Amino acid sequence: MIRPLLIIRPEPGNANTAARAKAFELDTRAIPLFEISPIAWDAPDPKRYVGVLLTSASALRSAGPQLVQYTHLPAFAVGGVTAQVAREAGFVSVVEGDSDVTRLVGKIATLGLHRLLHFCGTDVRAFDPYGVLIDRCVVYSADAIEPPASFAAAIAEGPVVLVHSPRAAARLAELVETEARKRVALVAISANAAEAAGRGWEEVAIAAEPRDEALLEAAAHLCR
């Protein structure tokens, strides 16, 4: 019998991960614990920048019509999904990096680029800028929402839960009581996310790489 998989990231990422889980033949529960909300923003002068940094597809989806002012600039995107959404948003030149922002910024630094505009959310994981000046432009927030009754039912099944960020890990820890944790396993996208989940879980695995496919590979192992 395959152990249930629980995905708690916000939409549309939740549905995208659930679709990828089908390839692993996992018994999936898709229950977002966060909701993406656009934030009004003032557009900085694009002439100040030599490129834009994109660490989340949610930023592109939330930025609105003002984003067109920057589509002539090179876009440096973390991960294939973000890169594809950038192309769909009209960016002419998209450099697709792997799913680790630190490594991508390190590569940007070797190109001698001096100033980037980072479209992001209110919650941004710290990373080494390698001397590159990076201005943040906050265009969305990921707000915690009250879980539906199906969340408690899913936890009672003793699932494997995918944890895509430290904030998601902390939210999960708020919602799952100590006794229930003993029957729940986690697959975290990073060591920071694993730490944020706290203790008491049946098992906590960390994905080999910070990307969806690696999370699902680790989850498939635990689910079976």
Side-chain angles (χ1 to χ4, degrees), residues 149-175:
S150 57
F151 175 76
I155 291 297
E157 293 181 293
V160 174
V161 185
L162 294 188
V163 179
H164 281 81
S165 69
R167 191 173 175 210
R171 178 61 174 156
L172 185 68
E174 289 176 359
L175 295 172

Side-chain angles (χ1 to χ4, degrees), residues 75-208:
F76 297 90
V78 174
V81 172
T82 303
Q84 180 58 35
V85 176
R87 296 184 187 100
E88 293 170 357
F91 281 91
V92 177
S93 175
V94 179
V95 177
E96 180 180 331
D98 54 35
S99 297
D100 187 300
V101 64
T102 300
R103 284 188 290 196
L104 176 59
V105 173
K107 292 176 182 177
I108 292 171
T110 65
L111 299 175
L113 301 181
H114 60 277
R115 190 168 193 175
L116 302 177
L117 183 61
H118 181 195
F119 289 103
C120 60
T122 53
D123 185 50
V124 181
R125 179 169 65 88
F127 58 85
D128 188 342
Y130 289 99
V132 179
L133 182 60
I134 300 176
D135 293 341
R136 290 179 180 170
C137 185
V138 176
V139 298
Y140 77 93
S141 64
D143 304 312
I145 57 177
E146 285 301 311
S150 57
F151 175 76
I155 291 297
E157 293 181 293
V160 174
V161 185
L162 294 188
V163 179
H164 281 81
S165 69
R167 191 173 175 210
R171 178 61 174 156
L172 185 68
E174 289 176 359
L175 295 172
V176 181
E177 296 180 354
T178 302
E179 192 60 32
R181 292 187 189 189
K182 298 176 182 179
R183 301 183 297 276
V184 176
L186 309 183
V187 178
I189 198 165
S190 65
N192 287 338
E195 183 178 357
R199 300 184 178 183
W201 306 98
E202 177 189 316
E203 184 173 355
V204 179
I206 299 174

